[in-house]
Amino acid sequence: MPLQIYNTLTRSKEEFTPLHPGVVGMYVCGPTVYSDSHIGHGKSYVSFDIVVRYLRYLGYKVLYVQNITDVGHLLDDGEDRMLKQSRLEKIHPMQIAETITRSYFEDMDALGVIRPDISPRASGHIIEQIEIVRELLAKGCAYEVNGSVYFDVRKFKGYGKLSGRSLDGMKEGTRVEVKSEKRNPEDFALWKKAEPEHIMRWPSPWGVGFPGWHVECSAMSMKYLGETFDIHGGGMDNEFPHHECEIAQSESATGKPFVRYWIHNNLVTVEGQKMSKSLGNFVTLKAAFKKFDPMVVRFFILQSHYRSTLDFSEEAIEASKTGLAKLRSTVGRLHEALEAARKNSSFGTVARDLGPAQKAFMEAMDDDFNTPKGIAALFELASLVNEWLEPGKLPSETTLTEAARMFDDFGARVLGILPAGTPSAESADVATERGLMELILGLRKQARASSQWQTADAIRKGLESLNIKVEDKKDGTTSWKKG
């Protein structure tokens, strides 16, 4: 099955065919860098990381552009978000931007998110934004009032085609400011006049001012990807008005289709309510990383499809921690067995068919990047491997090698939940774990041999509290397993 992507523009899954064979241009709305990233940001950028990873796994050459918004993100009252934060903290907005940009990339690195090929800043592309505004004015799609420039949405017949809203019944969107100087309430700012106290300001043909929020993404995406490109991504909360406005101004300026596939990820909720900084119910990634391994957080995120909501709770992340540990343990055992098989040609001779496992994973990812099903396919593979590694069922070295390759391809390269170069990393971890368990169980065996039953029982109960089950067999040996 070829790759199918749910296109918000058509509200249907479509077979993915890039504009240029073998090459993909992809733009994702990046963060507004005014405060530390939270779990919601994690879901968004991990989701698009999967898109990039899988496209590259399929052999596409992907140019991934993700902007940094450090100016122009206007709130409902028309105030720049960066300036508001600057006023609250009493420091220069660019100081905030620098600090939070570094913080953002630190968090994404910890989550295993591949960095974009280009990370353009809004403040570094003022000239490009001004040129778009000039073009829109020249075409009669925008108008100037008192040093500010607004886009006239009624001049673009397609306004509302992404969100499905009609102008006649449209109410003011979340970030569409309402000013009496606008012709229509739905019109949006392309350029805003800067008052004397406004710190972030640039000269323009209409006077000193600063760009609106929407025009920055049009300017930066088209600069690096062309006037028409393949994929534009962002959160569902950006669908309207931000992305709707991007389409209107871009297609009005160029006369060409702007984006071929629109991808929107759903939100993170807390007890059914959207997680956001404005509601105060957010958990920063840095706070989460103090309690959980970032890879566990990533695994937790990927257990929800990108178009589904993800309900946050520490209990859910704890469950993810257990699940990921089991998966890694299996991979570790697999590489130990593979190492043994390479040293012993008679280790195992039974060939196993891994085709169904590979097919299940690829079908999941081809179905609109369905990571929950992809993870389920990995666990099915892990279940098979665990069964094969039982005494008397050892498969051939070829089978073990192929299974290891699949874990590395799917778990590391595509999903990013297993370390790259799994063999050495996982074998070292598992070897240490097994060595400790052998030491502990050896001490318990000595206690039992000396009739120190209380000590032996205390060791067993202690291990059970760590989710490790100990079983004493009839032949006098002892085995252990997690879970």
Side-chain angles (χ1 to χ4, degrees):
M1 178 179 76
L3 173 61
Q4 303 283 316
I5 296 178
Y6 184 87
N7 189 350
T8 307
L9 189 63
T10 61
R11 294 167 188 78
S12 63
K13 289 182 184 178
E14 300 177 8
E15 181 177 337
F16 178 66
T17 306
L19 188 63
H20 303 290
V23 179
V24 178
M26 176 171 165
Y27 182 90
V28 170
C29 287
T32 301
V33 285
Y34 71 100
S35 64
D36 284 332
S37 302
H38 56 60
I39 296 289
H41 295 106
K43 175 176 171 61
S44 182
Y45 299 117
V46 166
S47 296
F48 290 112
D49 182 56
I50 292 296
V51 174
V52 173
R53 283 171 176 266
Y54 191 58
L55 288 171
R56 287 175 175 163
Y57 178 75
L58 292 178
Y60 290 106
K61 183 178 180 180
V62 182
L63 176 55
Y64 180 26
V65 181
Q66 183 194 109
N67 72 295
I68 297 293
T69 297
D70 55 3
V71 65
H73 188 154
L74 304 183
L75 298 166
D76 294 344
D77 58 4
E79 184 177 20
D80 188 298
R81 188 183 288 278
M82 294 297 299
L83 282 177
K84 181 177 180 180
Q85 194 68 22
S86 170
R87 191 177 65 253
L88 291 172
E89 297 189 28
K90 295 182 174 55
I91 58 177
H92 196 283
M94 277 303 171
Q95 183 180 348
I96 296 174
E98 290 295 329
T99 301
I100 299 303
T101 298
R102 287 194 294 269
S103 172
Y104 166 73
F105 281 118
E106 287 172 0
D107 291 342
M108 294 303 110
D109 289 347
L111 282 173
V113 172
I114 297 171
R115 291 204 178 193
D117 299 302
I118 304 174
S119 298
R121 295 192 182 203
S123 63
H125 295 74
I126 300 298
I127 293 174
E128 290 84 353
Q129 294 174 70
I130 288 175
E131 286 305 308
I132 290 178
V133 178
R134 290 166 67 108
E135 185 68 20
L136 291 172
L137 282 167
K139 290 187 173 182
C141 301
Y143 55 92
E144 178 191 353
V145 183
N146 299 325
S148 294
V149 182
Y150 298 94
F151 184 87
D152 188 341
V153 297
R154 298 190 181 275
K155 294 292 179 70
F156 181 67
K157 294 182 179 180
Y159 194 76
K161 64 181 177 180
L162 181 69
S163 61
R165 305 188 184 204
S166 66
L167 271 176
D168 292 337
M170 191 180 295
K171 296 181 180 180
E172 290 75 19
T174 302
R175 293 188 182 100
V176 179
E177 55 175 329
V178 178
K179 293 286 186 182
S180 59
E181 65 184 18
K182 296 195 296 187
R183 293 177 184 173
N184 310 295
E186 299 85 6
D187 294 350
F188 57 89
L190 296 167
W191 185 266
K192 289 290 293 178
K193 176 183 178 181
E195 300 302 328
E197 67 276 7
H198 204 283
I199 300 174
M200 301 177 79
R201 50 203 286 129
W202 291 266
S204 80
W206 318 285
V208 176
F210 58 96
W213 180 35
H214 312 306
V215 72
E216 69 175 62
C217 284
S218 291
M220 290 184 283
S221 61
M222 291 194 292
K223 177 179 177 66
Y224 298 106
L225 299 174
E227 293 176 337
T228 301
F229 57 92
D230 296 301
I231 296 173
H232 193 315
M236 284 186 177
D237 54 342
N238 283 338
E239 183 182 324
F240 183 87
H242 184 47
H243 292 160
E244 196 75 74
C245 295
E246 278 189 62
I247 292 173
Q249 66 201 8
S250 301
E251 296 189 357
S252 294
T254 68
K256 301 175 183 179
F258 179 42
V259 173
R260 304 177 74 244
Y261 300 87
W262 284 90
I263 301 178
H264 290 92
N265 68 278
N266 214 320
L267 307 174
V268 174
T269 59
V270 180
E271 297 179 352
Q273 188 178 35
K274 172 189 171 183
M275 177 184 286
S276 72
K277 293 174 181 176
S278 60
L279 295 175
N281 64 345
F282 67 94
V283 177
T284 67
L285 288 171
K286 283 180 169 51
F289 295 162
K290 289 180 180 178
K291 294 184 178 180
F292 303 102
D293 183 331
M295 283 297 101
V296 171
V297 176
R298 181 185 177 95
F299 184 65
F300 163 69
I301 290 169
L302 293 179
Q303 288 178 290
S304 166
H305 188 269
Y306 79 88
R307 286 194 293 114
S308 300
T309 56
L310 176 66
D311 199 55
F312 173 82
S313 70
E314 292 195 2
E315 292 77 12
I317 297 185
E318 283 288 355
S320 295
K321 179 180 177 180
T322 301
L324 184 58
K326 289 181 178 179
L327 191 62
R328 288 184 168 182
S329 176
T330 297
V331 174
R333 290 184 65 208
L334 169 62
H335 284 290
E336 283 188 324
L338 182 56
E339 193 174 315
R342 287 168 177 164
K343 295 176 180 178
N344 183 358
S345 59
S346 61
F347 181 83
T349 57
V350 180
R352 305 282 186 170
D353 183 11
L354 289 168
Q358 173 149 331
K359 181 182 178 183
F361 183 86
M362 296 298 292
E363 285 182 347
M365 297 305 295
D366 283 338
D367 183 16
D368 196 29
F369 311 103
N370 195 322
T371 56
K373 286 186 176 180
I375 289 172
L378 273 189
F379 273 100
E380 284 296 320
L381 176 60
S383 179
L384 288 173
V385 169
N386 283 326
E387 180 183 336
W388 297 342
L389 296 182
E390 291 296 318
K393 297 183 178 181
L394 298 177
S396 65
E397 180 185 340
T398 301
T399 297
L400 293 174
T401 300
E402 179 63 8
R405 192 273 306 166
M406 288 171 62
F407 276 120
D408 199 46
D409 276 2
F410 303 155
R413 289 178 60 191
V414 176
L415 296 180
I417 54 176
L418 297 174
T422 299
S424 59
E426 289 297 319
S427 293
D429 290 344
V430 172
T432 300
E433 181 182 78
R434 290 186 178 278
L436 287 172
M437 285 302 301
E438 288 175 6
L439 176 62
I440 293 170
L441 293 179
L443 293 172
R444 182 172 178 270
K445 184 177 180 179
Q446 291 180 16
R448 285 165 59 85
S450 304
S451 299
Q452 299 178 25
W453 306 113
Q454 287 185 332
T455 299
D457 203 39
I459 293 174
R460 179 181 58 79
K461 289 181 178 179
L463 291 172
E464 286 178 351
S465 70
L466 298 174
N467 206 33
I468 298 173
K469 295 181 180 179
V470 175
E471 181 182 358
D472 295 312
K473 298 182 179 180
K474 292 181 180 180
D475 60 2
T477 61
T478 300
S479 64
W480 65 275
K481 65 179 180 177
K482 292 182 178 180

